Amino acid sequence: MNDFRIEHQYLELPAAFYSRVPPTPLKNPRLVCFNSALARDMGFHTDNPEEWAAIGAGQTLLEGMDPVAMKYTGHQFGMYNPDLGDGRGLLLWETIGPDQRRWDWHLKGSGQTPYSRFGDGKAVLRSTIREYLCSEAMHHLGIPTTRALFMVSAQDPVRRESIESAATLMRVAQCHIRFGHFEFASHHEGKEALKTLTDHTIKLYFPHLTELPDDERYTRWLTEVVERTARMIAKWQGVGFCHGVMNSDNMSIIGDTFDYGPYAFLDDFDAGYICNHTDQGGRYAYNRQPEIGFINCQYLARALAPLMPEDNILRALRQYEKAYNDTFLSTMCSKLGFAEPLDKDINLIMDLFSMLHEHHVDYTLFFRGLSTLPSKGEAPVRDLFVDRSVADDWLKRYGERLEKETRPDAEREAAMCAANPKYILRNYLAQEVIQDAQTGEYDSLHRLLKVLEKPFDEQPENEDYARLPPDWGKHLSISCSS
Ligand code: AMP
Ligand code: MG
């Protein structure tokens, strides 16, 4: 029995915020992934997921769906672009599940819209698989993110650097409103529209603030958005995730990781790692993400200027650094097995990062190895270093710090294993399943998704997925063309 309610709250906004567009149908669709567990959570029970293939392909709509392309603008690589909007995706409807959670359904790859500019409105199989995999991987790592409900592949040819095949993703999230929506409202539609959008956002996604007087409500809300953004990015840094395209139109107003393009998880640690082939200046390099998150909050704050006094805006922005530092420090303490941060921990942490960087040590294997020191000894950590004495020096300091911990070793080991994933979505793993999918073979994609559902568990039958990447698989450069 299905158990959901349909709403169209977004359509209550002024007409400038969207355009009604039907999806462009794709040919011979095949449902290649369906997230049954998520569908159940959302109140959808289906014995026959195949019936979703036609919806994914834009051939049919369910009763009540009313597809619109959302209008937004935004800063791309630091430059303001007024012409953005859903250029290849449509918001189909909003549903509310049995637990009262709200879900936006966004069909990505559904054809051209008034905001497509020069694009064809399509998404290719390769990038659709990458988004599916990563959004689910992030969710299971405990990082706020949009989700993947299902994906469809089709026969239609799509021209990129070569001819590829089309696919679509049903992306779902509590909210698809981006920082760029506010930039659009403020810079093009004026104060009333901005206020309407902000009130809409607070009502649906920050309901605990609705009763406050205007001034205080807006300030508290901006503060929360800034804090959520900072915390999300601190979590990215902790797990070694590089987003790749942190434009303000890719920043979710509720602090979800949003829009997976040329992202990467770090293999060997490289602080300045640039995962996006087209980002030649390294604007979105791994170690610049915290600062870029702040710059995006500044773009948002500037857009909100008509709604609140400047002092309040500055006060809200100031919370970014604190929220980032607090979350980063607590994340690192969990990763290192410290129950509470002590005064000098930050030095130990910073020296650790320098060491990992200088010696090109695999980030994930290092922390997992550190987690299992009590049961497996030092070899899994030391063996990651060409020069073992470097590891020994740091391990000695770490050992001294651990003496101040009171938890029994086994308890600390369990806590660290729950903070340091064994399985991450390495680029080469994604690449392998994409190659299979391009020959019509999806078993390896399903296997990988299953492994990533339990990233913190030992999965003895899946040790292969936790290995160092092969040489061909390191530093794969992914372009924006998707
Ligand atoms: P992205 O880099 O995926 O965040 O996309 C930036 C903007 O370009 C958004 O407005 C997208 O909707 C639009 N876009 C990206 N790819 C296409 C495409 N193939 N066709 C139409 N619009 C696109
Ligand atoms: Mg985008």
Side-chain angles (χ1 to χ4, degrees):
M1 261 293 282
N2 286 336
D3 181 9
F4 64 90
R5 218 166 65 235
I6 301 167
E7 286 194 359
H8 288 287
Q9 296 274 354
Y10 189 79
L11 305 185
E12 305 284 316
L13 290 172
F17 283 101
Y18 58 88
S19 297
R20 276 205 168 75
V21 198
T24 307
L26 295 171
K27 292 193 216 49
N28 301 325
R30 172 174 168 196
L31 185 81
V32 295
C33 286
F34 184 79
N35 195 338
S36 315
L38 175 58
R40 258 195 317 275
D41 283 354
M42 294 170 64
F44 289 81
H45 299 267
T46 171
D47 295 328
N48 181 20
E50 290 300 324
E51 65 199 19
W52 295 97
I55 297 162
Q59 296 175 341
T60 54
L61 292 172
L62 291 175
E63 201 185 325
M65 285 179 170
D66 188 358
V68 299
M70 296 170 132
K71 173 62 190 169
Y72 49 85
T73 62
H75 281 81
Q76 300 180 301
F77 292 90
M79 301 283 284
Y80 186 66
N81 185 342
D83 294 326
L84 299 174
D86 288 337
R88 53 157 165 181
L90 296 169
L91 177 69
L92 300 182
W93 64 4
E94 300 150 42
T95 60
I96 292 145
D99 58 2
Q100 299 310 307
R101 260 190 305 171
R102 160 177 300 280
W103 294 97
D104 280 1
W105 294 47
H106 182 98
L107 184 60
K108 188 163 176 180
S110 55
Q112 286 176 316
T113 78
Y115 319 121
S116 296
R117 296 173 292 153
F118 307 109
D120 57 8
K122 299 212 166 80
V124 296
L125 181 62
R126 163 178 56 86
S127 64
T128 306
I129 290 176
R130 280 176 55 83
E131 174 149 3
Y132 197 116
L133 278 167
C134 198
S135 57
E136 288 307 296
M138 292 291 263
H139 170 72
H140 294 293
L141 286 165
I143 300 176
T145 176
T146 61
R147 303 286 308 272
L149 185 58
F150 61 87
M151 74 170 270
V152 162
S153 71
Q155 299 296 309
D156 309 60
V158 183
R159 183 179 293 277
R160 294 294 181 261
E161 279 99 11
S162 62
I163 302 291
E164 303 191 38
S165 58
T168 63
L169 172 70
M170 190 67 81
R171 174 171 69 190
V172 296
Q174 253 75 84
C175 168
H176 271 73
I177 296 176
R178 309 148 187 251
F179 285 16
H181 276 81
F182 295 86
E183 296 180 85
F184 165 66
S186 181
H187 306 319
H188 305 269
E189 297 299 306
K191 182 170 171 183
E192 265 321 293
L194 176 66
K195 187 167 161 30
T196 306
L197 175 67
T198 308
D199 290 340
H200 167 91
T201 304
I202 293 174
K203 181 180 86 181
L204 293 186
Y205 309 110
F206 300 80
H208 52 288
L209 301 178
T210 40
E211 299 303 320
L212 298 171
D214 266 13
D215 244 15
E216 197 184 338
R217 185 167 81 251
Y218 295 141
T219 308
R220 286 271 297 277
W221 169 69
L222 177 60
T223 309
E224 266 196 45
V225 174
V226 163
E227 288 173 344
R228 285 192 196 195
T229 305
R231 284 191 217 116
M232 168 187 77
I233 294 172
K235 289 184 179 166
W236 292 358
Q237 301 305 105
V239 77
F241 176 76
C242 206
H243 181 283
V245 203
M246 289 176 70
N247 294 333
S248 64
D249 56 305
N250 289 341
M251 301 296 292
S252 147
I253 201 69
I254 58 168
D256 272 351
T257 311
F258 197 99
D259 243 4
Y260 293 89
Y263 66 81
F265 286 83
L266 299 179
D267 293 312
D268 45 319
F269 186 76
D270 171 0
Y273 187 61
I274 305 165
C275 60
N276 181 351
H277 181 66
T278 26
D279 180 14
Q280 283 173 357
R283 182 180 175 87
Y284 299 144
Y286 169 77
N287 59 1
R288 292 205 61 199
Q289 296 188 133
E291 173 199 347
I292 295 290
F294 182 67
I295 292 174
N296 283 328
C297 288
Q298 285 179 312
Y299 293 140
L300 174 68
R302 194 175 306 156
L304 294 170
L307 292 189
M308 57 190 121
E310 197 181 336
D311 276 359
N312 294 9
I313 290 188
L314 293 177
R315 201 151 26 91
L317 282 174
R318 272 200 290 276
Q319 294 311 307
Y320 184 92
E321 194 175 343
K322 179 170 164 32
Y324 178 82
N325 286 339
D326 288 352
T327 309
F328 183 71
L329 188 60
S330 67
T331 302
M332 290 318 297
C333 284
S334 304
K335 288 177 80 67
L336 290 167
F338 304 158
E340 292 293 335
L342 298 182
D343 259 2
K344 301 226 172 76
D345 283 349
I346 195 69
N347 301 339
L348 190 70
I349 294 169
M350 287 308 158
D351 291 348
L352 166 60
F353 279 112
S354 306
M355 172 179 77
L356 297 179
H357 178 80
E358 199 178 324
H359 297 274
H360 311 287
V361 177
D362 188 84
Y363 186 71
T364 302
L365 288 183
F366 178 85
F367 279 102
R368 189 71 183 187
L370 211 56
S371 310
T372 56
L373 275 180
S375 66
K376 296 192 179 153
E378 290 183 341
V381 175
R382 294 181 83 235
D383 292 352
L384 296 169
F385 290 77
V386 177
D387 180 353
R388 308 283 200 278
S389 68
V390 175
D392 291 340
D393 289 346
W394 188 86
L395 282 171
K396 184 160 171 293
R397 284 172 66 195
Y398 177 61
E400 286 160 11
R401 170 62 181 84
L402 283 186
E403 283 166 19
K404 304 204 175 86
E405 291 295 311
T406 53
R407 275 188 295 187
D409 283 357
E411 201 180 297
R412 191 181 64 249
E413 174 160 344
M416 286 175 73
C417 284
N420 293 305
K422 172 152 180 160
Y423 299 98
I424 54 152
L425 178 60
R426 296 182 188 270
N427 251 338
Y428 91 92
L429 291 171
Q431 198 57 29
E432 283 180 344
V433 305
I434 288 167
Q435 275 155 9
D436 285 348
Q438 281 165 339
T439 67
E441 167 58 63
Y442 289 92
D443 288 353
S444 57
L445 170 59
H446 294 133
R447 271 201 307 277
L448 178 56
L449 277 167
K450 201 94 209 120
V451 172
L452 297 172
E453 273 178 21
K454 297 199 162 28
F456 300 103
D457 286 11
E458 289 293 332
Q459 304 178 35
E461 67 288 12
N462 290 319
E463 286 290 324
D464 278 0
Y465 291 87
R467 293 227 175 97
L468 282 173
D471 282 342
W472 68 264
K474 287 186 186 175
H475 307 134
L476 291 173
S477 168
I478 309 290
S479 85
C480 251
S481 119
S482 57

